[in-house]
Amino acid sequence: MVIGGFDPFSLLDYPDKVAAIIFTQGCNFRCRYCYNPSLIDVSTKEGDELSRLWSFLAERQGLVEAVVITGGEPTLQKDLVEVIQEIKRQGFLTKLDTNGTNPAIVKDLIAQGLVDYLAVDVKAPWSKYGQIMAMPEAALTILVAKVKELVTWLIDKAPINYEFRTTLVPGLLGLQDLSLIHISEPTRLLSISYAVFCLKKKKKNIQQHIEHCAKTHDMINQYDRTTTSMYV
């Protein structure tokens, strides 16, 4: 696994759990607003940080409850299954953050019981992916079809807890676009950097939530977007 970073402690990234975070390198999307650009291309050697990860987790037994694997795009890692198997063997819960472009891998991980919680980035309404991605249309069309496949499967059949996340970016994607993402009903707003909406699989009046988000968005605008973190 090519690891671009490691966060030993987080109270935000796994709902209600103390977690460590693995940031993998390499991504097949090219989001214009990417806030982790250093993780897009692979620049470190495979396995450089893995031994440090195992040592850390061994020392943190009973202190860290979960491990979050994010990126970059983790499903591009060829040894993802083996790494998660070892994490589970050590007794940790696992959360996978993905852009949804490798549905077969995600389904297989879930079927093996290797993922306890899943977060899928839904970047925009399907028709707007081309506006927020700096990549060829043909390649993007194929990848978006894969994301749609995973989203549909999760809504219909997901056996684990999951959430969909959309990042609001001034000038590219705004609150008005949320109503165009017809995949689920949002129940929680998480603001990190820009504004990240977590659309969780629970029932709630979407219009009420959007109105609430608009008020919260005005509050967020009063602060530095790179430092504000908020749950509602």
Side-chain angles (χ1 to χ4, degrees), residues 110-136:
I110 293 174
Q112 293 187 56
L114 295 177
V115 174
D116 299 293
Y117 194 93
L118 182 71
V120 180
D121 289 332
V122 178
K123 303 294 185 180
W126 306 125
S127 61
K128 281 199 166 186
Y129 263 69
Q131 297 179 33
I132 65 172
M133 295 289 174
M135 56 191 300

Side-chain angles (χ1 to χ4, degrees), residues 2 151 177 219:
V2 182
V151 165
D177 294 300
M219 293 167 53

Side-chain angles (χ1 to χ4, degrees), residues 113-188:
L114 295 177
V115 174
D116 299 293
Y117 194 93
L118 182 71
V120 180
D121 289 332
V122 178
K123 303 294 185 180
W126 306 125
S127 61
K128 281 199 166 186
Y129 263 69
Q131 297 179 33
I132 65 172
M133 295 289 174
M135 56 191 300
E137 181 179 355
L140 182 60
T141 299
I142 294 172
L143 293 178
V144 171
K146 295 293 186 181
V147 181
K148 289 181 181 179
E149 177 188 336
L150 181 59
V151 165
T152 301
W153 180 81
L154 287 170
I155 293 173
D156 292 341
K157 301 179 180 179
I160 64 170
N161 293 324
Y162 68 89
E163 64 188 30
F164 299 119
R165 310 184 300 186
T166 302
T167 304
L168 300 189
V169 185
L172 285 177
L173 199 68
L175 284 167
Q176 70 278 5
D177 294 300
L178 286 183
S179 62
L180 301 177
I181 302 176
H182 300 298
I183 54 176
S184 186
E185 295 186 347
T187 62
R188 190 183 69 179

Side-chain angles (χ1 to χ4, degrees), residues 34-120:
C34 182
Y35 43 83
N36 280 325
S38 63
L39 300 176
I40 295 176
D41 297 317
V42 176
S43 60
T44 59
K45 294 182 179 180
E46 186 174 358
D48 277 357
E49 296 293 318
L50 211 50
S51 59
R52 188 164 72 92
L53 168 65
W54 301 139
S55 298
F56 169 80
L57 292 180
E59 295 171 357
R60 302 292 286 178
Q61 289 285 348
L63 298 175
V64 173
E65 303 168 87
V67 176
V68 177
I69 304 178
T70 187
E73 175 48 41
T75 61
L76 299 179
Q77 302 295 322
K78 61 184 181 182
D79 59 347
L80 181 62
V81 171
E82 291 76 14
V83 169
I84 298 181
Q85 284 176 334
E86 177 59 23
I87 292 171
K88 295 290 287 183
R89 189 192 68 77
Q90 294 191 26
F92 298 98
L93 295 170
T94 57
K95 173 176 175 275
L96 180 69
D97 293 347
T98 178
N99 61 24
T101 55
N102 288 301
I105 293 175
V106 174
K107 292 176 188 178
D108 181 59
L109 289 169
I110 293 174
Q112 293 187 56
L114 295 177
V115 174
D116 299 293
Y117 194 93
L118 182 71
V120 180

